[in-house]
Amino acid sequence: LDRGDNLAFTEASDTIHPEQTAFARQMQRGIYMPVKDKVYVAVGYGITSTTMVVGDDGVIIIDPGENDDFGALVMEEFRSLTDKPIKAIVYTHRHPDHPFGSKGLGVTEEDVKSGKVKIYAHDSFMEYLVNDASVVGPILSIRTALASTLLDVGPEGRVHQALGPTFDSGPVSLLQPTDTFDEMLDVTIAGVRMVMFHAYGDAEDEIGVWFPEMKHLHGSETIQGESFPNIYTLRGTKFRDPVEWYTGVDRLLEYAREADSYSGSHMRPWVGNEFIVERITNYRDAIQYVHDQTVRLMNMGYTREELADTI
């Protein structure tokens, strides 16, 4: 369902590479339905793509997004599709564009305390979140703002956010996880079975979700979207281990080989087993290629600049 507007900058300009403009034009707002009447993905409302899975007597929301305004806007769209109550929220990882819109969805502290709404995350979610928000929070925030979010949208500034059209500040909320796990958790919510599993990606606490009865896989940010993985970030965040990352993609592939549809925490969902497996395999191999060739050429004496040019 195309909403017809786009928060990215889509006009051609001499200061923007045409491929970047073409990429921005793929970021229009809309609701995708990779599984008929069951799985919906809101794309283009912010940097995050929020997924809703419809069960027998309720819905599951994956990644409520960057702030409460975002969460409320997306939920308003989802409410045009179903009025079933939220039974569970999944935080795929702790990065600020994913868990901070929970109250915007309409979920309250009382809903969580009473057990009416379950919130799932990895065991290490809170530890990494607290570290990012306190110990290194100031410098990460400043670097992120100067690298992207403070730039004006336009030909001299921000074209898009690479993983989505925009990232906006706003009122944030965090409802703490009620259920966490280490490697895997198999639960049924609202009649929907979901297998949550740890799959290292752009964050150590990354989890994926497999819906076996629907043959639908949510790859979170183990696959970052329709762009090359941020093995290192412009904002200079914590080291991302490329070996751990492609090992995480290997785990995702175990489920992908059985999947007919796929959604992630950024950009558009995919349909078709062959297409899904090919894309995820290519993504995995790209990460290993960069790592292996970097090590090989380092041992031959290449400098940083030479490594970047050669690889």
Side-chain angles (χ1 to χ4, degrees):
L1 182 60
D2 186 359
R3 295 305 189 209
D5 60 335
N6 194 330
L7 299 176
F9 187 78
T10 59
E11 298 175 26
S13 169
D14 291 341
T15 62
I16 304 170
H17 195 289
E19 290 183 9
Q20 288 286 5
T21 303
F23 190 42
R25 289 172 180 163
Q26 298 176 19
M27 297 184 180
Q28 63 268 27
R29 287 183 176 183
I31 305 292
Y32 290 78
M33 185 175 64
V35 180
K36 184 172 174 53
D37 301 329
K38 293 291 185 182
V39 180
Y40 298 91
V41 185
V43 176
Y45 294 82
I47 192 172
T48 299
S49 295
T50 297
T51 295
M52 176 177 73
V53 179
V54 180
D56 296 337
D57 60 349
V59 301
I60 300 158
I61 300 293
I62 303 176
D63 282 343
E66 61 211 48
N67 59 57
D68 287 335
D69 291 343
F70 172 93
L73 176 61
V74 168
M75 205 62 216
E76 182 181 356
E77 295 281 28
F78 284 154
R79 284 294 172 227
S80 69
L81 301 166
T82 179
D83 60 359
K84 293 179 180 179
I86 295 173
K87 295 288 188 178
I89 297 173
V90 178
Y91 297 155
T92 61
H93 60 296
R94 92 282 188 168
H95 287 158
D97 47 324
H98 300 272
F100 288 157
S102 296
K103 289 187 178 179
L105 300 175
V107 177
T108 66
E109 297 274 3
E110 183 54 39
D111 291 334
V112 176
K113 287 178 183 176
S114 67
K116 182 179 174 183
V117 177
K118 295 278 193 181
I119 299 182
Y120 294 94
H122 190 260
D123 277 347
S124 62
F125 173 86
M126 287 303 299
E127 177 188 349
Y128 283 117
L129 180 67
V130 169
N131 181 76
D132 286 358
S134 60
V135 180
V136 294
I139 192 60
L140 278 180
S141 298
I142 291 167
R143 285 173 172 174
T144 300
L146 293 177
S148 58
T149 57
L150 276 186
L151 299 176
D152 291 332
V153 177
E156 304 290 332
R158 174 157 45 109
V159 182
H160 52 67
Q161 290 290 133
L163 302 175
T166 188
F167 177 91
D168 290 324
S169 59
V172 298
S173 61
L174 181 74
L175 299 169
Q176 291 196 32
T178 60
D179 295 71
T180 63
F181 65 96
D182 182 14
E183 287 303 315
M184 192 180 77
L185 181 63
D186 191 333
V187 297
T188 298
I189 299 289
V192 176
R193 184 184 168 206
M194 55 179 184
V195 179
M196 290 170 279
F197 57 96
H198 183 223
Y200 187 110
D202 79 320
E204 299 89 341
D205 55 316
E206 200 90 42
I207 61 172
V209 189
W210 169 236
F211 298 91
E213 287 148 4
M214 301 178 189
K215 292 193 176 243
H216 180 79
L217 176 63
H218 186 85
S220 306
E221 220 171 325
T222 304
I223 304 296
Q224 282 199 294
E226 299 176 56
S227 56
F228 197 86
N230 275 334
I231 299 174
Y232 181 78
T233 69
L234 290 173
R235 69 182 182 274
T237 191
K238 194 171 184 293
F239 171 68
R240 296 172 176 180
D241 188 329
V243 176
E244 291 281 351
W245 196 337
Y246 71 69
T247 302
V249 182
D250 280 334
R251 187 156 196 202
L252 194 66
L253 264 173
E254 294 173 17
Y255 295 94
R257 292 189 179 97
E258 303 298 322
D260 291 331
S261 56
Y262 176 92
S263 56
S265 295
H266 295 290
M267 295 298 285
R268 302 169 296 180
W270 303 334
V271 175
N273 178 264
E274 186 177 339
F275 183 89
I276 292 165
V277 171
E278 179 187 51
R279 287 298 185 277
I280 295 177
T281 301
N282 288 347
Y283 199 89
R284 177 236 178 270
D285 290 351
I287 296 171
Q288 183 173 1
Y289 179 85
V290 169
H291 171 269
D292 291 358
Q293 294 308 309
T294 299
V295 173
R296 183 177 74 88
L297 295 173
M298 277 170 50
N299 284 325
M300 293 169 63
Y302 281 58
T303 66
R304 278 189 315 185
E305 291 73 20
E306 289 169 338
L307 286 168
D309 287 344
T310 304
I311 295 170

